[in-house]
Amino acid sequence: MTERSLQMEALRLDGVKAPVAVRQGDVLLTGAHGPNGSWRDVLDPGDGHEIHGATLATAPLAGYAPDVATILLCGVDVYFRGKLEAILPGHHFVTTDSADWPDLVIADISRVDPDDVADSYPEIPIVGFSGHTDTAGLRRAHEAGFDQVLVKNALQERAPQIVEELIASVE
Protein backbone atom coordinates (compact mmCIF):
# COMPACT_ATOMS: atom_id res chain seq x y z
CA MET A 1 0.00 0.00 0.00
CA THR A 2 1.33 3.45 -0.92
CA GLU A 3 1.34 6.01 1.86
CA ARG A 4 -0.38 9.27 1.05
CA SER A 5 0.71 12.56 2.53
CA LEU A 6 -1.76 15.11 3.75
CA GLN A 7 -1.07 18.75 4.35
CA MET A 8 -3.32 21.07 6.26
CA GLU A 9 -3.32 24.85 6.08
CA ALA A 10 -2.15 26.48 9.30
CA LEU A 11 -4.38 29.06 10.98
CA ARG A 12 -3.52 31.42 13.81
CA LEU A 13 -5.78 30.84 16.79
CA ASP A 14 -5.23 33.19 19.72
CA GLY A 15 -1.52 33.27 19.03
CA VAL A 16 -1.21 29.47 18.86
CA LYS A 17 -0.09 27.99 15.55
CA ALA A 18 -2.19 25.03 14.39
CA PRO A 19 -0.51 21.90 12.92
CA VAL A 20 0.69 22.26 9.34
CA ALA A 21 0.84 18.56 8.48
CA VAL A 22 -0.74 15.37 9.75
CA ARG A 23 -0.32 11.73 8.87
CA GLN A 24 -2.87 9.07 8.20
CA GLY A 25 -4.11 7.95 11.62
CA ASP A 26 -3.63 11.41 13.19
CA VAL A 27 -7.16 12.61 12.40
CA LEU A 28 -9.89 10.69 14.19
CA LEU A 29 -13.61 11.33 14.27
CA THR A 30 -15.49 10.60 17.47
CA GLY A 31 -19.01 9.25 17.47
CA ALA A 32 -18.96 8.22 13.79
CA HIS A 33 -20.50 4.93 12.78
CA GLY A 34 -18.43 2.89 10.37
CA PRO A 35 -16.28 -0.15 9.95
CA ASN A 36 -13.60 1.17 12.31
CA GLY A 37 -16.03 1.95 15.15
CA SER A 38 -16.50 5.18 17.03
CA TRP A 39 -12.85 6.24 16.78
CA ARG A 40 -12.45 5.60 13.06
CA ASP A 41 -9.61 7.08 11.03
CA VAL A 42 -11.18 9.58 8.64
CA LEU A 43 -8.12 9.51 6.36
CA ASP A 44 -7.88 5.71 5.96
CA PRO A 45 -8.40 5.04 2.23
CA GLY A 46 -9.28 1.42 3.01
CA ASP A 47 -12.64 2.15 4.62
CA GLY A 48 -13.99 4.56 1.97
CA HIS A 49 -15.26 7.02 4.58
CA GLU A 50 -12.83 9.86 4.08
CA ILE A 51 -14.02 13.39 4.70
CA HIS A 52 -13.09 15.51 1.73
CA GLY A 53 -12.39 19.26 1.65
CA ALA A 54 -15.42 19.93 -0.57
CA THR A 55 -17.65 18.12 1.92
CA LEU A 56 -16.28 20.14 4.82
CA ALA A 57 -16.59 23.45 2.96
CA THR A 58 -20.26 22.89 2.14
CA ALA A 59 -21.33 21.18 5.36
CA PRO A 60 -23.54 23.13 7.76
CA LEU A 61 -22.19 24.08 11.17
CA ALA A 62 -22.34 21.12 13.51
CA GLY A 63 -25.43 21.30 15.69
CA TYR A 64 -27.24 23.83 13.51
CA ALA A 65 -29.84 23.27 10.81
CA PRO A 66 -28.77 24.40 7.32
CA ASP A 67 -31.18 27.38 7.31
CA VAL A 68 -29.94 28.80 10.60
CA ALA A 69 -28.34 32.23 10.26
CA THR A 70 -25.21 33.17 12.17
CA ILE A 71 -25.97 36.62 13.54
CA LEU A 72 -23.12 38.78 14.78
CA LEU A 73 -24.07 41.19 17.56
CA CYS A 74 -21.87 44.31 17.68
CA GLY A 75 -22.17 46.44 20.79
CA VAL A 76 -25.43 44.76 21.83
CA ASP A 77 -25.81 44.55 25.60
CA VAL A 78 -26.62 41.27 27.34
CA TYR A 79 -30.20 42.31 28.16
CA PHE A 80 -31.08 43.16 24.56
CA ARG A 81 -29.24 40.06 23.30
CA GLY A 82 -31.62 37.98 25.41
CA LYS A 83 -34.57 39.75 23.80
CA LEU A 84 -33.19 39.12 20.31
CA GLU A 85 -32.60 35.45 21.10
CA ALA A 86 -36.24 35.17 22.23
CA ILE A 87 -37.54 37.03 19.16
CA LEU A 88 -35.31 35.07 16.75
CA PRO A 89 -35.28 31.50 18.08
CA GLY A 90 -33.21 28.97 16.20
CA HIS A 91 -30.53 31.35 14.98
CA HIS A 92 -26.88 31.21 16.07
CA PHE A 93 -25.80 34.41 17.86
CA VAL A 94 -22.13 35.32 18.12
CA THR A 95 -20.08 38.32 19.21
CA THR A 96 -17.05 39.93 17.63
CA ASP A 97 -14.68 37.55 19.44
CA SER A 98 -16.18 34.53 17.64
CA ALA A 99 -14.45 32.68 14.82
CA ASP A 100 -17.80 32.06 13.07
CA TRP A 101 -18.30 34.27 10.03
CA PRO A 102 -21.74 35.96 10.16
CA ASP A 103 -24.62 35.83 7.72
CA LEU A 104 -25.99 39.04 9.25
CA VAL A 105 -24.74 41.77 11.58
CA ILE A 106 -26.91 43.58 14.13
CA ALA A 107 -25.19 46.62 15.63
CA ASP A 108 -26.18 48.98 18.44
CA ILE A 109 -25.02 52.20 16.81
CA SER A 110 -25.10 54.08 20.10
CA ARG A 111 -22.27 51.79 21.30
CA VAL A 112 -20.19 51.17 18.14
CA ASP A 113 -18.96 53.28 15.24
CA PRO A 114 -21.14 52.56 12.18
CA ASP A 115 -18.24 53.21 9.78
CA ASP A 116 -16.06 50.62 11.56
CA VAL A 117 -18.84 48.01 11.37
CA ALA A 118 -19.52 48.72 7.68
CA ASP A 119 -15.79 48.57 6.86
CA SER A 120 -15.34 45.29 8.76
CA TYR A 121 -18.25 43.50 7.07
CA PRO A 122 -18.61 45.00 3.58
CA GLU A 123 -20.36 41.99 2.01
CA ILE A 124 -22.61 41.12 4.97
CA PRO A 125 -26.09 42.64 5.48
CA ILE A 126 -26.03 45.01 8.47
CA VAL A 127 -28.92 46.13 10.66
CA GLY A 128 -28.29 49.12 12.88
CA PHE A 129 -30.46 50.25 15.75
CA SER A 130 -30.49 52.93 18.40
CA GLY A 131 -32.89 54.85 20.59
CA HIS A 132 -35.39 57.16 18.91
CA THR A 133 -33.61 60.24 20.27
CA ASP A 134 -30.27 59.30 18.65
CA THR A 135 -31.04 60.86 15.26
CA ALA A 136 -27.36 61.64 14.58
CA GLY A 137 -26.38 57.99 15.17
CA LEU A 138 -29.22 56.72 13.00
CA ARG A 139 -28.11 59.10 10.23
CA ARG A 140 -24.44 57.98 10.53
CA ALA A 141 -25.47 54.32 10.20
CA HIS A 142 -27.52 55.12 7.11
CA GLU A 143 -24.59 57.06 5.61
CA ALA A 144 -22.22 54.17 6.41
CA GLY A 145 -24.34 51.94 4.17
CA PHE A 146 -26.25 49.80 6.64
CA ASP A 147 -28.98 47.75 4.95
CA GLN A 148 -31.55 48.63 7.62
CA VAL A 149 -31.46 51.39 10.24
CA LEU A 150 -34.18 51.28 12.88
CA VAL A 151 -35.10 52.58 16.26
CA LYS A 152 -34.81 49.88 18.92
CA ASN A 153 -38.57 49.40 19.35
CA ALA A 154 -39.06 48.88 15.60
CA LEU A 155 -36.30 46.26 15.56
CA GLN A 156 -38.01 44.38 18.39
CA GLU A 157 -41.32 44.42 16.50
CA ARG A 158 -39.97 43.55 13.04
CA ALA A 159 -36.80 41.51 13.69
CA PRO A 160 -38.06 38.17 12.29
CA GLN A 161 -39.19 39.73 9.00
CA ILE A 162 -36.04 41.84 8.63
CA VAL A 163 -33.70 38.91 9.32
CA GLU A 164 -35.61 36.67 6.91
CA GLU A 165 -35.52 39.30 4.13
CA LEU A 166 -31.83 40.11 4.55
CA ILE A 167 -30.73 36.48 4.81
CA ALA A 168 -32.78 35.60 1.70
CA SER A 169 -31.15 38.47 -0.22
CA VAL A 170 -27.69 36.98 0.44
CA GLU A 171 -28.64 33.47 -0.74
Side-chain angles (χ1 to χ4, degrees):
M1 182 168 119
T2 308
E3 186 170 323
R4 298 183 303 174
S5 65
L6 172 74
Q7 294 183 349
M8 296 176 68
E9 182 178 330
L11 300 174
R12 187 170 278 301
L13 303 171
D14 293 325
V16 177
K17 194 84 168 171
V20 293
V22 294
R23 296 179 314 256
Q24 183 175 317
D26 288 346
V27 180
L28 302 175
L29 183 64
T30 61
H33 302 292
N36 293 340
S38 64
W39 283 92
R40 73 181 173 96
D41 179 355
V42 297
L43 300 178
D44 181 3
D47 65 16
H49 295 286
E50 291 83 18
I51 295 178
H52 302 281
T55 305
L56 291 173
T58 58
L61 291 172
Y64 297 103
D67 58 347
V68 170
T70 297
I71 301 174
L72 172 66
L73 302 177
C74 293
V76 177
D77 65 53
V78 175
Y79 177 72
F80 196 64
R81 177 188 176 136
K83 285 187 173 194
L84 288 172
E85 288 175 341
I87 295 168
L88 300 165
H91 291 290
H92 176 54
F93 290 88
V94 297
T95 57
T96 54
D97 60 347
S98 172
D100 294 336
W101 192 251
D103 299 307
L104 175 75
V105 176
I106 298 178
D108 183 343
I109 55 181
S110 66
R111 302 178 78 179
V112 295
D113 182 2
D115 290 318
D116 287 345
V117 175
D119 291 344
S120 297
Y121 304 97
E123 302 297 320
I124 306 296
I126 303 173
V127 177
F129 72 91
S130 189
H132 67 279
T133 59
D134 185 14
T135 55
L138 295 167
R139 188 175 315 121
R140 283 192 350 259
H142 181 70
E143 290 168 357
F146 282 26
D147 296 271
Q148 292 278 334
V149 181
L150 307 158
V151 295
K152 195 173 193 175
N153 291 340
L155 177 60
Q156 285 180 259
E157 292 171 9
R158 299 182 32 218
Q161 296 86 4
I162 291 168
V163 168
E164 184 177 324
E165 289 170 11
L166 291 174
I167 296 300
S169 71
V170 172
E171 297 171 349

